Amino acid sequence: MEINSINAVEFARLFMGAAANLEAKKEWINELNVFPVPDGDTGTNMSMTIMAAAKEVEALKDPDMKSLAKAVSSGSLRGARGNSGVILSQLFRGFTKVIAEYDTITAGVLARAMEKAVETAYKAVMKPKEGTILTVAKGAAIKAAELSETTTDLLTMMDGVIKEADRVLARTPDMLPVLKQAGVVDSGGQGLVEVLRGAFLVMQGKEIDYKAPSKEKADETRAVTQVNASIEAQANQEISFTYCTQFLVMLKEAFSDSKEQEFKAFLEGIGDSIVVVADDEIVKVHVHTNDPGLAMQRGLSYGSLTAIIIENMELERDEKLSALKEKEMQGAAVEALPPKEVSEEPVKDIGFVAVSIGEGLNEIFYGLGADYIIEGGQTMNPSTEDVLQAVSKVNARTVFIFPNNKNIILAANQAVSLCEDKELIVIPTRTIPQGITALVNYIPGQSAKENEAHMKEEISYVKTGQVTYAIRDTEIDDKEIHQGDYMGIGDKTILSVGTDRKAVAMEMIEEMIDEDSSLISIYYGKEASEEEAMEFSDRLTGKYPDVEVEVNAGGQPIYYYVVSVE
């Protein structure tokens, strides 16, 4: 049997098969997360992202390729959850841009669509790393391009593409030491393979296997050689260009190809990691450079600047490392809490939305001025749509968003581009304590941009540690971890491991504190008592008499303690 083209109705069936297969395998994919914490959810995030798109596809009565492409792109964009889900939505966005222009998908169209998918996803990630879902997508696209030159049969082509994706996936531990040390392949990459495999099964006329892989298969997936490579060693890598600089140019006239090439050539002379994306009205610019002013000055020659972001990468290299671990540290959110009160007051200038979990932490955020809280859950991140719905409840012209989790920042950023009636500003808070610090440092009377800069600076001084338990045996950074052990997890990696919770918590803080530390804030969770927390505080006060220690009831699940050191 040969299949030389696929129409819109057939593609809709393939997409639904892809979604069903990913949904069936999500828990297995969750198990591939690097850190053995009890809230691993890459598979869940990717599944919820594709299922949001599947819902839009299912609602189409008589789809053509253009309406189908819009449903896949819009549905996945709004339903995107977590880093892996956002990247998957960008792969779909690029893919559908190409197929929307055709009535049927042929081998050539499929290859071009996969190439565009990879291009779009790489552009969406500020600091892409090889050894992730992006690498698997790129390998699959390259193979698709090769096969499109030798066959018109989509079955032959897809068979080769999936085999290549599997081959690249198996190599991801060689690209990222953290994967090899944990004994897993990249979980996001595995999710993408299951998307491709689900579509291929439907193409072959087969039924989707709704069962997760056997334990033997899972063990085989984990069977990679352990190494002693350390994440800490990666943290010491040299950074040639200090400032990650991003801005939008609002064009005053057409941005021709020659202008684009001229601009890129200039940026190449002052930095690297250059992305220049232009449409009819704006140019999005990204460059790593030691002189952001030069980049922006040249940008001004083409129009006015907006959405300026300048980040010191030497201070933020820790973010690069932790972003490699597709793992949520604090839980996530699906359900937005109602605002603290419904107000009929006139619209105000500034409002705040925070992601939080636990009654005590929610009250802390409300007490600091949060208008709306997106409540956390054990295994799910809030989607872009969840963020947009929360923002819609805030009666303000400008709304600050505090994701308070590294795995929610991309979804929040995606909401910025979709919100039409308010200005959204995402403060990239990666932990609950960073979110609290950001709100504490909001200064009424200053402009939104001034507060944005001030809050971003203040959160950079916050160190966060979290005490939880391991759900499986593994080894990370030469620390042997057994199921049921307590772990103290810092901003970079695991700081302490053991069977005594109090000892693990103390050791974690010992690793965090330095001579400049002046405040330790303890937020005890649902499974820790106030008495235990106060005993913990007394021990810290005795050991660090010059450091102020405060204790708060957080009420968060999973994490016995969330601790900040400032």
Side-chain angles (χ1 to χ4, degrees):
M1 179 178 71
E2 278 195 14
I3 297 177
N4 300 119
S5 65
I6 296 171
N7 62 28
V9 173
E10 292 164 338
F11 180 71
R13 286 179 50 248
L14 299 187
F15 185 80
M16 297 301 286
N21 196 50
L22 182 58
E23 169 69 12
K25 306 299 192 299
K26 66 181 180 183
E27 293 301 335
W28 174 54
I29 295 167
N30 285 342
E31 285 295 310
L32 296 177
N33 280 274
V34 171
F35 276 11
V37 294
D39 55 351
D41 56 4
T42 298
T44 300
N45 285 338
M46 295 182 73
S47 175
M48 295 194 75
T49 298
I50 198 172
M51 293 306 290
K55 183 178 179 181
E56 297 291 325
V57 170
E58 194 173 25
L60 296 175
K61 298 302 181 185
D62 187 22
D64 57 20
M65 201 66 80
K66 185 161 290 188
S67 63
L68 185 57
K70 182 178 179 182
V72 171
S73 179
S74 176
S76 62
L77 188 68
R78 289 182 171 274
R81 296 173 183 266
N83 293 345
S84 53
V86 172
I87 292 172
L88 183 63
S89 75
Q90 292 301 304
L91 288 168
F92 289 150
R93 180 171 174 244
F95 187 92
T96 55
K97 279 183 180 179
V98 173
I99 67 168
E101 302 300 319
Y102 298 89
D103 293 328
T104 60
I105 299 173
T106 62
V109 172
L110 179 60
R112 288 192 292 277
M114 292 183 70
E115 180 182 16
K116 186 66 174 177
V118 171
E119 176 188 331
T120 304
Y122 266 87
K123 287 182 178 180
V125 179
M126 185 189 302
K127 306 178 185 81
K129 278 285 187 180
E130 298 308 324
T132 65
I133 181 176
L134 293 171
T135 309
V136 176
K138 181 169 63 175
I142 291 172
K143 191 64 176 180
E146 292 176 2
L147 291 171
S148 69
E149 299 292 329
T150 60
T151 184
T152 60
D153 179 20
L154 291 170
L155 285 170
T156 300
M157 185 173 175
M158 281 296 294
D159 182 52
V161 164
I162 292 172
K163 286 177 179 175
E164 177 65 11
D166 268 327
R167 188 188 71 81
V168 175
L169 178 65
R171 291 180 53 241
T172 56
D174 297 324
M175 303 178 200
L176 288 179
V178 67
L179 294 176
K180 179 165 283 190
Q181 194 169 40
V184 295
V185 295
D186 179 68
S187 52
Q190 184 72 62
L192 179 60
V193 170
E194 298 309 322
V195 169
L196 296 172
R197 186 170 284 123
F200 186 46
L201 288 171
V202 173
M203 189 184 294
Q204 292 174 302
K206 297 179 181 179
E207 294 292 327
I208 297 293
D209 178 9
Y210 288 95
K211 295 181 180 179
S214 66
K215 183 181 185 302
E216 290 73 18
K217 175 63 178 175
D219 290 342
E220 179 184 331
T221 303
R222 292 178 181 277
V224 290
T225 306
Q226 299 277 310
V227 296
N228 292 324
S230 167
I231 300 173
E232 193 66 34
Q234 295 182 54
N236 295 323
Q237 62 184 295
E238 181 181 354
I239 294 178
S240 299
F241 297 101
T242 302
Y243 298 101
C244 176
T245 305
Q246 301 174 85
F247 53 88
L248 296 178
V249 182
M250 310 301 291
L251 294 171
K252 59 186 178 184
E253 57 186 37
F255 196 63
S256 64
D257 290 342
S258 61
K259 287 182 179 178
E260 181 174 348
Q261 293 305 316
E262 175 190 67
F263 192 23
K264 286 181 177 178
F266 174 80
L267 294 176
E268 286 172 356
I270 63 169
D272 64 8
S273 298
I274 296 158
V275 176
V276 176
V277 181
D279 66 13
D280 294 338
E281 297 179 349
I282 65 171
V283 178
K284 181 175 182 179
V285 181
H286 170 270
V287 61
H288 295 174
T289 178
N290 288 326
D291 197 334
L294 290 177
M296 292 187 290
Q297 185 176 8
R298 179 57 65 97
L300 283 168
S301 67
Y302 304 112
S304 59
L305 305 188
T306 187
I308 300 170
I309 301 174
I310 301 173
E311 297 176 320
N312 186 319
M313 293 188 296
E314 291 182 351
L315 296 178
E316 303 220 351
R317 73 178 80 193
D318 290 347
E319 293 187 13
K320 285 183 169 184
L321 299 171
S322 56
L324 302 178
K325 312 178 193 91
E326 287 275 353
K327 194 68 213 58
E328 176 192 349
M329 292 301 165
Q330 285 177 275
V334 287
E335 212 178 294
L337 285 182
K340 50 188 175 183
E341 61 182 38
V342 178
S343 173
E344 298 298 329
E345 295 179 0
V347 64
K348 58 184 181 179
D349 290 330
I350 302 293
F352 305 100
V353 168
V355 177
S356 177
I357 183 167
E359 184 177 343
L361 291 173
N362 295 344
E363 288 303 316
I364 289 172
F365 277 110
Y366 276 143
L368 292 173
D371 296 279
Y372 207 93
I373 289 175
I374 305 175
E375 172 103 359
Q378 181 175 338
T379 59
M380 286 181 286
N381 295 138
S383 68
T384 300
E385 182 66 21
D386 291 329
V387 176
L388 288 170
Q389 288 181 2
V391 167
S392 71
K393 304 296 184 182
V394 179
N395 191 25
R397 298 182 184 89
T398 299
V399 179
F400 282 89
I401 302 171
F402 305 101
N404 299 336
N405 187 294
K406 70 182 181 60
N407 214 27
I408 301 172
I409 294 173
L410 278 178
N413 285 335
Q414 205 154 253
V416 174
S417 63
L418 295 174
C419 187
E420 298 178 351
D421 60 339
K422 298 174 184 177
E423 180 185 5
L424 305 188
I425 298 176
V426 177
I427 304 299
T429 51
R430 301 167 62 79
T431 64
I432 289 286
Q434 282 193 343
I436 291 171
T437 295
L439 259 176
V440 166
N441 283 279
Y442 174 74
I443 303 174
Q446 286 194 350
S447 70
K449 289 299 180 184
E450 287 172 329
N451 268 297
E452 178 183 9
H454 178 60
M455 285 190 277
K456 284 183 175 179
E457 180 181 2
E458 291 300 321
I459 65 174
S460 70
Y461 303 130
V462 179
K463 300 175 186 176
T464 302
Q466 301 166 105
V467 178
T468 186
Y469 59 93
I471 61 170
R472 66 168 183 266
D473 295 347
T474 189
E475 181 180 346
I476 297 177
D477 276 3
D478 301 329
K479 287 183 174 66
E480 190 173 323
I481 303 168
H482 301 286
Q483 182 177 350
D485 281 353
Y486 296 106
M487 301 181 297
I489 303 172
D491 291 320
K492 294 179 182 179
T493 186
I494 295 177
L495 300 177
S496 57
V497 176
T499 57
D500 186 323
R501 188 162 79 202
K502 296 176 183 177
V504 167
M506 284 296 295
E507 184 182 346
M508 176 186 75
I509 291 182
E510 287 168 5
E511 292 291 323
M512 296 166 62
I513 204 162
D514 58 33
E515 60 184 12
D516 296 324
S517 302
S518 60
L519 173 65
I520 299 173
S521 299
I522 301 170
Y523 305 90
Y524 63 90
K526 188 181 296 185
E527 303 302 322
S529 67
E530 181 180 6
E531 180 181 2
E532 180 183 320
M534 294 307 298
E535 180 185 340
F536 185 22
S537 171
D538 291 342
R539 292 180 64 187
L540 289 170
T541 300
K543 186 163 186 175
Y544 305 106
D546 296 329
V547 178
E548 181 183 353
V549 181
E550 60 177 37
V551 177
N552 303 275
Q556 70 275 6
I558 299 176
Y559 294 89
Y560 302 102
Y561 297 110
V562 174
V563 180
S564 67
V565 175
E566 302 176 56

